Amino acid sequence: MDKPCTLLVHFDKGSAAMANEIKADLEGSDVAAKVEAMKRAVMLLLNGETLPTLFITVVRYVLPSEDHTIQKLLLLYLEIIDKRDAAGRVLPEMILICQNLRNNLQHPNEYIRGVTLRFLCRLSEPEVLEPLVPSILENLEHRHHFIRRHALSAISAIYRLPHGDQLIPDAPELVERALASEQDASARRNAFLMLCLCGQERAVAYLFSNAERVTEWPDLLQMAAVDLIRKVCRSPNRADKGRYIKIIISLLSSPSTAVVYECAGALVSLSSAPTAVRAAANTYCQLLSSQSDNNVRLILLDRVNELRMAHRDVMVDVVMDVLRALSSPNLDVKRKVLDLVLDLLTPRNVEEVVLYLKKEVVKTQSGELEKGGEYRQMLVQAIHACAVEYPEVAGSVVHLLMDFLGDTNVAAAVDVVLFVREIIETNPKLRVSMIQRLSDTFYQIRASRVCSIALWILGEYSLSLSEVESAITTIKQCLGDLPLFTLSEEGETTDSSKPTQPMVNSVTVSSRRPVVLADGTYATQSAATEAISTPPVTAGSLASTLNLRSLILSGDFFLAAVVACTLTKLVLRLEEVQPSKAEANKACTGALLVMTSILQLGLSSYLPQPLDNDSYDRIVLCVRLLCNTGDDVRKIWLQSCRQSFAKMLAEKQFRETEEMKAKSQISHAQPDDLIDFYHLKSRRGMSQLELEDEVQDDLKAATGGFSKETDDANRLNRILQLTGFSDPVYAEAFVTVHHYDIVLDVTVINRTKETLQNLCLELATMGDLKLVDRPQNYTLAPESSKQIRANIKVSSTETGVIFGNIVYETSNVMERSVVVLNDIHIDIMDYISPATCADVTFRNMWAEFEWENKVAVNTVIQDEKEFLNHVIKSTNMKCLTPPSALDGECGFLAANLYAKSVFGEDALVNISIEKQVDGKLSGYIRIRSKTQGIALSLGDKITLKQKGGS
């Protein structure tokens, strides 16, 4: 990414002494000194110096030189200097240059001729060019292709001048004859481009006459042909579109990847027929598999995604070809491939896609892939999305994914358990096998969050007697023997980190420390871990089997509260399905023992952090519930939780469906729009592709597919006034934002009765903006206007400012006049767009991002939801909090917003507001991002907009 340069580059301004020194070196006979003198003169001229006395010295001492370097520097010098006087007339000294240029055009050395012809492409003075035209035309028939190539470029540049057709009136005809006999690839390209620009009918005729041999053309000429076809087909009269499409399709077999890529894009722009779209898609997929550069692959995937948005029905057939791009080691490529494939799922291809993803998951187990854990997480999320949309495929992958519940990559394990939780609710047929599998693999789980969700699944979906008993046994095995710690009157202590020699049937590892009891006596407090085992056992192997015990002993009392709730649900359900009252009471007693052991551990001083109040209240509630259970409470614990989860899933599915409907909405045609019925047209001579294209065009016309999305009113809003109406020069700019580029189309109007000379638009930027090129100088006639275009590169979403002035000269005033322009502020809203992400992803990014901007709420809006909607509209973000969570009137509101920039930056916003007694809203809006620029820019935007202003 381009950053501002902190190195100060110093260059001495021109002075009389320096000009004399340059003149002395130029007048000498030393070639090396002349070269250095010419370089210094060119640098001074580029920095704004005029050096008016140097021209005659250059004519006398530099023009006769035969050195190639000096001749090249001379041409640079002649290109830079002013060739007109204050009145706009060509300087008389330029006549001296004409003779030298004519001699160079007839020089025996090919290099001198070639660079001189190339220099003539830069000249715009007809008075200088007119005597050189015969010599230029003679070079069209030179034996060396280097000279012919630049002669064609010179003719094209001269003919495109305002009065160029008077200098070479028969230029298109001459170039056409030269093209017919030319063999050099670059020269043919230059000739063809000249015809495309100046004689389009001749270029089209040449293309059609060689249509059968287009595939044999060099790639440079093929690229020019594709550009011509694009240009011609933009015109309203496209009678020969079928012939152009045939040429494009024939070029798809070109050995040049650049030509093939351009042809695929041109084919889609020319035709929306399924055959053409399918050919372009296959071309992109072939390039995906053949190109190794990750940037190229990302660009190709963007093109495929564009096809998917416009022609989804056709693109579903190439989904397996797109999937092959997963062989790339780059995670960005893999992520884009998976996102693209998920948008192309249909009942017809979902099984193939899931099978392919399943094989990729198995590959990640080998450990050979770099960043295999992250890739596995992406695959799990993709399979999850497939299974949610098409539940019938869940059974083929869910058992394989459950093997990764104990994955060392916690994020991947969380994705797996969330997938299991959703599938077990939406696929009742898989419930029995999934509960059994979860019970068998529960001991492998290492992450606390995964354990919590797995325990909730066991408590909610263990329905039969065997499932409930198996779940209770699994939990007790993972907790180990009770109590979790013991008190003894002995003062001895042992180190729990040392391996302990086991007994035949049990192993005990204890951690002891002295404590002072309430009566002032000393005792030893220890935490004991026991497991049934016959071989020697170490502390590490104990931790691998007693995952719940190790997590609780580490101070995770939230997990302990989840264990208590799960045991409570299992015991309550056991009382319903167990015919034996004694067995149910035994299970209840065991659950109460576990809970009291957890309370004893939490209330002791063994652990550095005590039991928190929320977990304590939750566990005590479970104890009281098991001691005295009512029917209403039993119903809440055994039914309401699952009903709430099913309602959440249904709401999530409804929200996604509504979003898809909103995206699929298209504009409708106006009642008086013209529709051509192709069934009534003559089909004689039309190919199948042309017939399909006619059908697609009619469908687009009927549904408004050709209607412009941009509104004229919105375009007017982007016009900014840069100067005042009373200024001698009036200027206004139309700002166009193209993701990474900003284009300023500045209209400059001379409101005076004088000619403005050397008028220049000088721009500068602040922020992560960079001016690509400096606009050139112009001469503006009285009361005339000029369109000036400036390109600015954007490298981040930080708010930027463009400022500058217009500088010009007049014949009456010797000094330069300056008109200062209004500042142009680049809005961050042009670079961010609403996006969605999972709650887990949002929380992970919130914890990871280091830049935070905290904005206090200060608004006249008094309704919480109205304020939230106002912030969403002002920031162009998406609210991730579901509508059901925002229902009700409680005086509080908390919501998460998310957006993504065109540079891949994530913007996270959390709104927490409260209604005060006086009716006003208070609270904070917190913004987090990975980079400082987007956090600060969004904060400034919210501060400006939150008061309710537009």
Side-chain angles (χ1 to χ4, degrees), residues 283-323:
T283 301
Y284 287 140
C285 292
Q286 290 173 6
L287 292 174
L288 264 178
S289 59
S290 63
Q291 298 299 309
S292 59
D293 188 277
N294 292 325
N295 293 322
V296 174
R297 286 180 170 179
L298 290 173
I299 294 172
L300 289 169
L301 288 171
D302 287 337
R303 299 291 85 76
V304 176
N305 190 43
E306 291 172 1
L307 289 180
R308 191 268 311 167
M309 290 188 290
H311 311 280
R312 185 181 184 276
D313 295 339
V314 180
M315 292 301 295
V316 295
D317 297 331
V318 299
V319 64
M320 297 308 297
D321 297 325
V322 177
L323 269 177

Side-chain angles (χ1 to χ4, degrees), residues 637-701:
W637 278 73
L638 295 183
Q639 298 180 13
S640 299
C641 293
R642 200 186 323 163
Q643 291 173 356
S644 299
F645 179 61
K647 183 179 178 182
M648 185 191 78
L649 291 181
E651 183 180 351
K652 176 184 174 184
Q653 185 68 28
F654 175 77
R655 211 163 57 240
E656 293 176 350
T657 304
E658 290 297 317
E659 290 177 359
M660 292 179 62
K661 288 182 180 179
K663 290 181 180 178
S664 61
Q665 287 181 355
I666 57 177
S667 58
H668 299 285
Q670 296 299 321
D672 57 348
D673 285 350
L674 179 65
I675 300 177
D676 291 330
F677 293 94
Y678 90 105
H679 298 85
L680 304 179
K681 292 182 180 180
S682 173
R683 304 189 189 184
R684 186 175 301 172
M686 296 180 68
S687 64
Q688 180 63 29
L689 192 145
E690 291 178 271
L691 291 174
E692 293 178 4
D693 205 28
E694 291 285 343
V695 176
Q696 295 298 321
D697 287 350
D698 291 343
L699 289 175
K700 283 188 177 182

